[in-house]
Amino acid sequence: MTSPTDHALRLPAWLSSLFFLALLGLVALTAWQWRNGPPISANLLQLLPSGAPGELEQLAEQRVQAPLNRDLMLLVQHEDEDTAVALAQEVAGNLKASGLFAQVRRSVQADLPAMRQQLLDQRLVLLDRASREALIASPEDFIQQRLQRLFSPFESTSLVPVEEDWFGLADLAQRRLPHPGNIHPRLDGALLAEHDGQRWAVIHAQIHGDAFDDKLPLLIDDQVRAARHRVESQQGELLAAGGVLHAAYGQRQAREEASLIGSVSLVATLALLHLLFRTSRVLLVALPVLVGALSGAAACVALFGQIHVLTLVLGASLVGVSIDFPLHYLSKSWTLQPWQAFRALRLTLPGLALALATNVIGYLAMAFTPFPALSQVAVFSAAGLLGAFACATCLLPSLVNVPLQPWAAPLSWAERALALRQRLLGRLPSSWLLAGFVVFCLAGISQVSFKDDLRQWVSRAPALQQQAERIGQITGFEPTSQYFLVRAQTADELLERQEALGTRLDELVAEQKLRGYLALSQLAATTVAQESLHLALPRLLEYSQPLLALGMTAGALEKELAALQAKPVTGLDQVLAGPIAEPWRPLWLSTRSDGTVAGLISLQGLRDSSALHGLADGIAGVSLVDRPAELNRLFAETQRQAALLKMFAAVVILALLCLPFGWSGALRCLAVPLLAALGSLACLGWLGQPLTLFGLFGLLLVTAIGVDYAILMRERIGGAAVSLVGTLLAAVTTWLSFGLLALSSTPAVSNFGLAVGIGLVFAFLLAPWAAKTTEEPAS
Amino acid sequence: MLVALSLLLALTTRANAFDLVQLSLQLREPTVVRGTFTQEKYLRALPQPLVSVGTFVLARDRGLLWFLQDPVQQDYRISAAGIARRTPNGWKQTSQQGPAARQNELFLAVLQGDTEALQRDFELQLTGTTQAWALTLTPRSRLLAQIFSTILIQGSATAERIELVEAQGDSTLLTLTDIQIDDQLSPGEHHDLAD
């Protein structure tokens, strides 16, 4: 079959040997990268720029994020409370047995002696501000209240016995300690949350490792499903919430979509090719796709350590683009008969190389944005295209070098379409059409809203969201992403600053703009406050007559006071070491290397984050960390940056196109995809769809792919009609993969798919204009 | 209710003798019980008990009014919603926390003879007859055992003597006297419980 001319047209043999070698290396590299399972991550945070500049900020962020990623909360409800508790016990037992959790807790078996000891040792530092002030301002009332508590049958049980706490300071400290949330133990220790007259048995589990570890979310999700099944089989109800469930949902969804969209587009594309070229040989065009996906994944794992599922979903659509390379020369078989693969490749190689270069430039421009998400997709796509190109040029031609007799009809359709276009242009000049198009674009673009939100990056899981909200309402635990970071020179200063801020937060709580907060100042008093208590204590003796009347002896009271006054002031770190301090411990960021200290104030149930802005004004060392707001700023900034980078890429592409086509030809070729992108943007506006960061990325992709079509139409190898058929083929196959993304349940991906899908239609429709100037002089 | 009763019946070993079901039914019989109480709190630390007196009203399914009169005055109300204290501005729910938070339920369950609820947390041992019975409660859970070592209730038609022995060695003795059984609440009591 190989003729001498054919042979002469072959690429040098060493090139294909080199390709084989590289392919072997790629396979080996991938095998090594996947040696410990798939290096796939579903952690959204890895796709975000780490907005936290310093070590302290990163630590704070970790502390705040940890429970969101690690905790799983399950609530079990049943008409019969005991059944609910029994079911919770069974579920907790199963969770524990699964070995997936570091801790599963459904009851308190508190270590009362240890709590008692801490109350006793630290009663002065644990006393809340109001009680301290009451003691100092009016020792007489303070004693009266002590008396009332002693006689009350319902407030009698104090952890510290009376003979160790004559004045009831430990008793008071115990009662005044804030109790975060709405979960209380039953008398048997089972944790219950009561809301709207319903009681829910509570299971609190902490997973081993991170919510985003590869297989963990799916395994945990299975556990939760089994638990739900069990509870519902007993006519109970189970609610579950935790970052890990969202991760599982996202992973499942992304993997399903990646494989579904990938395979549907591949199968549809191959079916189409088979229909047109009528030989199963042509199905080998899937090879470049495979090599492309391999190289993309390998490059991502090599550069980022792993590959994100979102990248995989977007990367799956690369199928359509990388198939374009072989299509460019396969479509020449309509006119270049007898078909010789190497001849067609030789003829199209400059155009192919140009298309590759413009595409890679287009992708790589995105790699320089500060958003790891975009960088990853860009790297995946650029490396994927390079791999696919290498395979399409070095390997594929020798595999498809068989006689090709494509179905003739499409060519005649294309000829008719071009003739129709010519007639249309005869009546309606291009300039008029352009003017109409520009008006359409301007009107559409004016309606585009720019919206970015992290929530668009995850698939919609309303059921999960709803459960999380209900659990928040029932338990009172509604952690927010906003928090305050407080810095100070000393622990005392830190407590003072937190207390000052706490007073303002109390007002928000009273206005019901905030459900609650947790601050270190709620737990411990400053050393200054402890010292002033020391000074005020002797006055208690003056008013201790009612206590003496009960049989307490003056000697015992004096002895207790002397012991209290002899107590050295207690430091914050000592208080934090005790069992009572457990909920507060994560808030303490400890002493920094420069001797300063830092701590957090975490918030619960924030209704309106704008209420926090300006709240810390006038209190030194306090900064509000509002990660969502910060991200929104970053999104907007990245959009601007991406647009600038893209303009820069367009200039580079223009310069590149100048080499073969000259200035005006290059401008024409570039105008086609730029107008297509504008048209797509306008359609988003008309459709009422926002432009997200990924949508913008899609538009940039349209310009990169559109350049290909322009180049194809411009070069007209084999004639205008053949080029149109080739362009149509490329557009349809690309559309099959990108267009399908519009169906994704992840808003960001769907927005991306829509932007590319519409843009491709415009790019195809506009492509013939790329060739116009050469048409006239030639005719 | 029927299911629960039959379950309790099945659990009871001495079906013919005076049993927990009978006691439960007996204590749930009156709609309203009024009386006076004497509370003696024996603290290991004090040579004499803390003695206080007052009146109470126990309303079936509604809750308990507990009016402490001497030596300090304080009105309490215990209901399913928790404990409230009377302040010059009306009833104020006290915020209850920690393991002690559910003790009011226990208190209500004891007075109302809700043996079903009590059995969840305690081993129950009943002796005596309808006219003179004694019920001993031993905590089942470690948490509760850290607070109470045992609770002893004695009575006839109603509970008359309740002794709570705390794990730390302190104990409280409640004696209910002048007990009157009624079938309705006074308007004032109604108001206090409804508020």
Side-chain angles (χ1 to χ4, degrees):
Chain A
M1 188 49 67
T2 46
S3 67
T5 32
D6 192 8
H7 195 77
L9 284 169
R10 271 176 195 270
L11 293 174
W14 59 266
L15 211 56
S16 46
S17 317
L18 191 69
F19 173 75
F20 263 110
L21 221 61
L23 189 60
L24 275 181
L26 180 66
V27 171
L29 175 68
T30 305
W32 183 77
Q33 282 172 340
W34 290 54
R35 68 198 180 285
N36 300 323
I40 296 171
S41 155
N43 189 351
L44 269 188
L45 300 179
Q46 285 170 356
L47 292 183
L48 300 177
S50 84
E55 189 195 337
L56 182 64
E57 285 83 356
Q58 276 174 19
L59 180 65
E61 189 64 24
Q62 266 172 27
R63 289 283 176 86
V64 173
Q65 286 296 334
L68 300 176
N69 295 343
R70 202 189 51 203
D71 288 15
L72 179 69
M73 186 86 95
L74 298 172
L75 261 52
V76 178
Q77 202 262 324
H78 193 277
E79 232 172 40
D80 175 46
E81 186 182 314
D82 287 341
T83 310
V85 171
L87 280 169
Q89 183 174 12
E90 188 188 325
V91 166
N94 291 342
L95 293 183
K96 220 175 266 178
S98 73
L100 299 170
F101 298 91
Q103 190 194 54
V104 180
R105 206 160 62 162
R106 54 161 281 276
S107 64
V108 218
Q109 296 298 338
D111 188 359
L112 294 186
M115 292 174 76
R116 183 176 294 147
Q117 196 57 49
Q118 187 180 11
L119 278 169
L120 191 58
D121 291 344
Q122 301 178 347
R123 50 193 135 163
L124 289 180
V125 63
L126 289 173
L127 212 54
D128 70 303
R129 182 189 182 143
S131 303
R132 290 197 310 263
E133 286 172 353
L135 191 158
I136 294 169
S138 172
E140 189 177 7
D141 289 350
F142 193 85
I143 297 281
Q144 272 304 322
Q145 280 163 16
R146 166 63 170 158
L147 216 58
Q148 251 178 25
R149 289 202 306 277
L150 274 174
F151 278 104
S152 159
F154 313 112
E155 297 183 66
S156 56
T157 313
S158 167
L159 279 176
V160 178
V162 173
E163 68 271 22
E164 293 179 59
D165 185 34
W166 297 110
F167 291 103
L169 295 173
D171 175 53
L172 198 56
Q174 179 194 340
R175 287 177 207 292
R176 296 287 181 267
L177 268 176
H179 191 263
N182 187 28
I183 298 176
H184 297 286
R186 226 162 60 148
L187 284 174
D188 64 353
L191 289 171
L192 288 184
E194 192 169 340
H195 183 71
D196 273 353
Q198 278 185 327
R199 287 202 185 167
W200 298 77
V202 178
I203 303 171
H204 177 220
Q206 291 187 337
I207 61 172
H208 272 305
D210 196 69
F212 301 105
D213 285 354
D214 179 44
K215 279 185 191 143
L216 199 61
L218 297 179
L219 292 175
I220 287 174
D221 195 42
D222 289 341
Q223 289 286 328
V224 172
R225 279 171 196 224
R228 186 185 309 278
H229 187 74
R230 171 74 188 118
V231 170
E232 282 172 0
S233 74
Q234 299 293 305
Q235 281 75 49
E237 189 184 358
L238 181 130
L239 298 178
V244 68
L245 296 180
H246 282 277
Y249 182 85
Q251 258 189 42
R252 252 186 239 282
Q253 205 69 21
R255 283 186 181 169
E256 276 168 21
E257 275 175 15
S259 51
L260 182 75
I261 293 176
S263 49
V264 165
S265 70
L266 190 63
V267 167
T269 303
L270 294 181
L272 180 70
L273 294 184
H274 195 257
L275 176 80
L276 292 175
F277 295 105
R278 296 158 170 203
T279 161
S280 40
R281 238 342 134 108
V282 85
L283 301 188
L284 289 169
V285 295
L287 268 179
V289 177
L290 200 71
V291 175
L294 262 184
S295 6
C300 267
V301 178
L303 269 175
F304 304 102
Q306 54 197 348
I307 185 163
H308 196 275
V309 283
L310 203 59
T311 312
L312 272 187
V313 173
L314 294 179
S317 59
L318 201 68
V319 168
V321 187
S322 44
I323 244 172
D324 284 0
F325 293 127
L327 283 185
H328 280 200
Y329 56 81
L330 281 176
S331 62
K332 301 305 175 199
S333 61
W334 262 285
T335 49
L336 291 185
Q337 286 292 352
W339 164 253
Q340 285 170 332
F342 295 106
R343 185 159 155 248
L345 175 64
R346 266 290 152 112
L347 285 172
T348 49
L349 196 55
L352 279 186
L354 206 54
L356 173 75
T358 53
N359 268 320
V360 170
I361 290 170
Y363 278 117
L364 282 184
M366 306 313 311
F368 292 100
T369 59
F371 253 82
L374 288 188
S375 317
Q376 221 184 76
V377 177
V379 165
F380 184 95
S381 308
L385 280 182
L386 283 170
F389 179 81
C391 182
T393 51
C394 299
L395 178 66
L396 203 61
S398 54
L399 297 179
V400 293
N401 199 20
V402 289
L404 276 188
Q405 290 293 340
W407 185 30
L411 187 65
S412 58
W413 295 343
E415 276 159 356
R416 252 182 285 166
L418 281 176
L420 194 72
R421 172 176 175 268
Q422 223 35 66
R423 278 211 299 282
L424 182 74
L425 288 183
R427 290 196 194 155
L428 208 61
S430 288
S431 47
W432 282 79
L433 283 175
L434 182 68
F437 185 69
V438 167
V439 170
F440 168 83
C441 286
L442 289 180
I445 290 170
S446 67
Q447 300 171 52
V448 174
S449 59
F450 295 85
K451 193 175 100 186
D452 265 305
D453 193 322
L454 195 55
R455 271 168 295 182
Q456 293 174 323
W457 291 26
V458 283
S459 1
R460 294 184 197 90
L464 284 180
Q465 197 51 43
Q466 210 187 342
Q467 284 186 62
E469 277 165 20
R470 276 187 77 191
I471 287 185
Q473 282 166 0
I474 294 168
T475 63
F477 283 106
E478 298 170 85
T480 62
S481 313
Q482 290 90 350
Y483 58 94
F484 287 97
L485 176 61
V486 184
R487 273 176 262 231
Q489 291 301 317
T490 62
D492 258 10
E493 196 178 49
L494 181 79
L495 290 175
E496 274 163 20
R497 288 174 178 179
Q498 288 211 346
E499 197 166 83
L501 188 57
T503 316
R504 298 181 190 179
L505 288 170
D506 286 334
E507 286 168 25
L508 286 190
V509 173
E511 291 167 26
Q512 297 196 326
K513 288 180 181 163
L514 185 70
R515 183 156 186 156
Y517 66 96
L518 219 51
L520 293 164
S521 56
Q522 293 166 322
L523 181 69
T526 62
T527 52
V528 182
Q530 292 176 56
E531 278 158 7
S532 52
L533 262 187
H534 277 201
L535 291 175
L537 282 173
R539 295 194 58 211
L540 282 178
L541 263 189
E542 296 167 31
Y543 298 95
S544 62
Q545 184 49 43
L547 297 180
L548 295 174
L550 298 180
M552 298 184 189
T553 63
L557 294 183
E558 279 163 26
K559 207 174 139 199
E560 182 174 302
L561 275 189
L564 278 173
Q565 281 181 290
K567 270 186 193 299
V569 291
T570 312
L572 180 57
D573 43 354
Q574 282 167 278
V575 179
L576 284 167
I580 290 172
E582 199 196 322
W584 284 271
R585 237 170 266 152
L587 300 179
W588 171 237
L589 299 179
S590 76
T591 310
R592 321 300 309 158
S593 52
D594 61 356
T596 62
V597 294
L600 305 175
I601 293 184
S602 67
L603 307 172
Q604 296 280 342
L606 184 64
R607 301 281 168 262
D608 174 18
S609 64
S610 66
L612 298 178
H613 294 279
L615 198 71
D617 287 355
I619 309 174
V622 181
S623 47
L624 168 66
V625 182
D626 187 346
R627 188 86 168 116
E630 196 185 318
L631 275 178
N632 284 344
R633 259 200 316 280
L634 266 167
F635 273 124
E637 198 182 305
T638 306
Q639 277 197 348
R640 265 198 310 278
Q641 218 168 348
L644 278 176
L645 278 167
K646 194 60 207 186
M647 272 163 66
F648 178 71
V651 171
V652 175
I653 291 173
L654 183 69
L656 199 65
L657 291 179
C658 277
L659 296 177
F661 302 137
W663 273 108
S664 65
L667 271 176
R668 237 170 208 289
C669 283
L670 197 61
V672 166
L674 288 181
L675 284 175
L678 277 184
S680 175
L681 182 62
C683 282
L684 287 183
W686 286 109
L687 290 173
Q689 287 278 328
L691 179 71
T692 66
L693 194 53
F694 277 96
L696 182 71
F697 182 62
L699 290 184
L700 307 179
L701 203 58
V702 167
T703 58
I705 299 171
V707 172
D708 288 7
Y709 302 165
I711 293 170
L712 242 119
M713 289 307 290
R714 176 111 200 154
E715 291 201 316
R716 288 198 305 152
I717 291 158
V722 168
S723 296
L724 188 66
V725 173
T727 309
L728 179 62
L729 257 184
V732 168
T733 53
T734 308
W735 199 90
L736 270 176
S737 48
F738 282 112
L740 284 175
L741 286 183
L743 304 175
S744 168
S745 66
T746 309
V749 175
S750 146
N751 190 259
F752 170 81
L754 198 64
V756 180
I758 299 172
L760 284 177
V761 174
F762 280 114
F764 171 72
L765 290 177
L766 295 172
W769 270 271
K772 202 187 169 197
T773 43
T774 47
E775 224 169 79
E776 281 155 2
S779 59
Chain B
M1 194 63 196
L2 264 177
V3 179
L5 281 179
S6 53
L7 202 72
L8 265 177
L9 276 171
L11 284 172
T12 319
T13 45
R14 297 172 302 155
N16 295 322
F18 181 55
D19 60 32
L20 287 171
V21 179
Q22 282 173 287
L23 173 64
S24 186
L25 288 172
Q26 180 173 327
L27 290 177
R28 282 189 60 80
E29 178 79 11
T31 316
V32 177
V33 180
R34 289 191 194 86
T36 56
F37 68 82
T38 310
Q39 177 187 268
E40 295 163 60
K41 234 173 159 175
Y42 293 89
L43 303 179
R44 281 172 304 158
L46 296 181
Q48 73 221 39
L50 301 174
V51 182
S52 51
V53 293
T55 62
F56 74 93
V57 182
L58 176 66
R60 190 173 71 197
D61 303 329
R62 303 290 297 275
L64 172 70
L65 294 171
W66 194 263
F67 300 148
L68 193 61
Q69 286 162 348
D70 187 64
V72 282
Q73 277 212 354
Q74 183 65 60
D75 293 355
Y76 295 94
R77 179 185 68 196
I78 309 176
S79 62
I83 297 186
R85 286 161 56 136
R86 201 199 295 275
T87 69
N89 305 321
W91 289 103
K92 194 179 168 218
Q93 211 71 25
T94 59
S95 60
Q96 292 201 306
Q97 299 154 0
R102 301 273 170 202
Q103 280 185 48
N104 56 4
E105 287 171 27
L106 173 66
F107 200 81
L108 264 181
V110 165
L111 282 173
Q112 293 179 325
D114 187 352
T115 53
E116 207 182 322
L118 290 175
Q119 268 181 325
R120 193 170 60 209
D121 301 310
F122 297 93
E123 300 281 354
L124 304 189
Q125 201 194 355
L126 180 65
T127 56
T129 63
T130 328
Q131 295 313 310
W133 50 267
L135 183 65
T136 312
L137 287 70
T138 319
R140 284 179 193 272
S141 73
R142 191 167 80 88
L143 184 76
L144 201 54
Q146 289 186 67
I147 303 169
F148 294 109
S149 62
T150 177
I151 298 175
L152 186 68
I153 312 167
Q154 286 168 280
S156 54
T158 60
E160 288 163 358
R161 184 181 185 280
I162 301 167
E163 191 178 0
L164 299 115
V165 184
E166 289 176 33
Q168 290 181 48
D170 297 339
S171 67
T172 304
L173 177 63
L174 277 170
T175 322
L176 309 176
T177 47
D178 301 333
I179 289 173
Q180 294 157 9
I181 289 174
D182 200 347
D183 54 7
Q184 58 184 355
L185 290 167
S186 74
E189 293 162 354
H190 209 281
H191 180 258
D192 279 340
L193 280 166
D195 186 28

